[in-house]
Amino acid sequence: GAVVSQHPSRVICKSGTSVKIECRSLDFQATTMFWYRQFPKKSLMLMATSNEGSKATYEQGVEKDKFLINHASLTLSTLTVTSAHPEDSSFYICSARKAGGRKKAETQYFGPGTRLLVL
Amino acid sequence: GENVEQHPSTLSVQEGDSAVIKCTYSDSASNYFPWYKQELGKRPQLIIDIRSNVGEKKDQRIAVTLNKTAKHFSLHITETQPEDSAVYFCAASGPPPGANSKLTFGKGITLSVRP
C-alpha cells in the first residue's frame, strides 16, 4: 500500500500564533511531497512542492515566509503556518509521491488533511 | 503551464445508470492523468489513472478513456450506486522531474446518485 498520515487532523489556534502540520509517508519513501489548501466546495490549490534535502518550491502568490516548509527526511515534511490569521483557516492536505520507479513515479497519495481554524 | 477544465460541475444520475465526466487539458507534454474521489471532509482517493501510452483502462465499474489528439480524457462509471456520490477531480501532469510534473487539478464535479 501507500499510506500517508497527517498530524494533527484538526487544530484551533489564536490569531498570531504558529501552527505546525506534519505529513508522513508511512510505508514508502517520498522524495517529493506537496502541500495543498482546499476551501469548501473548491478544488485543491497547490501551495508548494517540498523536495527532500532542498528548499521548497512555492506557487505564485503563496508567501514562503508565512508558510514554512521543511522536508527533513524521505518520510516527513512539515508545514508551519506562521503568525496565523483567521483568513488562514482552511483545510490543508499533503500528498506524497513515491521515490524511484519511472512508471509509478507520478502517483500521488494524499494525507487525510488538517482542518485549521484561527480565532 | 497546464490548464485542466472539468465539466459539468454537477451531475445527478439515477442509481444503476452510467455517469460520464469529461476533462480537457492544455499541455501536450502531460502524460499522466489520475482521477480522485473525495467524500466530504475526507482525503482525495485515487480511483483510477491512465498514462499517455494507452487509450483506455478499466477497473470493474470504472473506466477512463484518453484522447491525446483532442487532449481530453473521461471517467466512466457504470451501474452507479449511492456510495458513488462524491466529488470527483481529474488531474494531469508531465513526467518528473520537469516543471510540469506537479498535478494540475480540475475544479471537481459533484456526482449525486439518486436511490
Side-chain angles (χ1 to χ4, degrees), chain A residues 4 34 36 38 42-44 46 59 91 93 97 103-108 110-112, chain B residues 31-32 36 38 41-44 46 49 51 89 93-94 96 101-103 105-107:
Chain A
V4 178
F34 302 87
Y36 296 85
Q38 188 175 35
K42 296 292 185 183
S43 187
L44 296 146
L46 180 65
E59 295 300 302
F91 192 49
I93 311 178
R97 188 164 69 193
K103 271 196 171 183
K104 293 291 186 181
E106 307 92 328
T107 306
Q108 286 187 33
F110 284 85
Chain B
N31 67 348
Y32 175 64
Y36 288 88
Q38 187 179 29
K42 302 287 182 65
R43 78 182 81 196
L46 178 70
D49 57 11
R51 290 175 172 81
F89 292 100
S93 77
S101 63
K102 57 189 180 184
L103 284 176
F105 284 86
K107 291 185 176 181

Side-chain angles (χ1 to χ4, degrees), chain B residues 23-78:
Chain B
C23 284
T24 60
Y25 62 99
S26 61
D27 191 341
S28 56
S30 291
N31 67 348
Y32 175 64
F33 309 92
W35 285 88
Y36 288 88
K37 174 184 179 182
Q38 187 179 29
E39 297 176 13
L40 192 62
K42 302 287 182 65
R43 78 182 81 196
Q45 293 272 16
L46 178 70
I47 57 171
I48 196 166
D49 57 11
I50 191 168
R51 290 175 172 81
S52 59
N53 57 340
V54 298
E56 184 175 355
K57 183 176 177 181
K58 191 173 181 180
D59 183 4
Q60 298 182 340
R61 296 188 296 112
I62 295 173
V64 57
T65 58
L66 170 66
N67 184 325
K68 287 188 292 183
T69 304
K71 285 189 269 185
H72 68 69
F73 56 113
S74 300
L75 176 71
H76 304 252
I77 306 174
T78 58

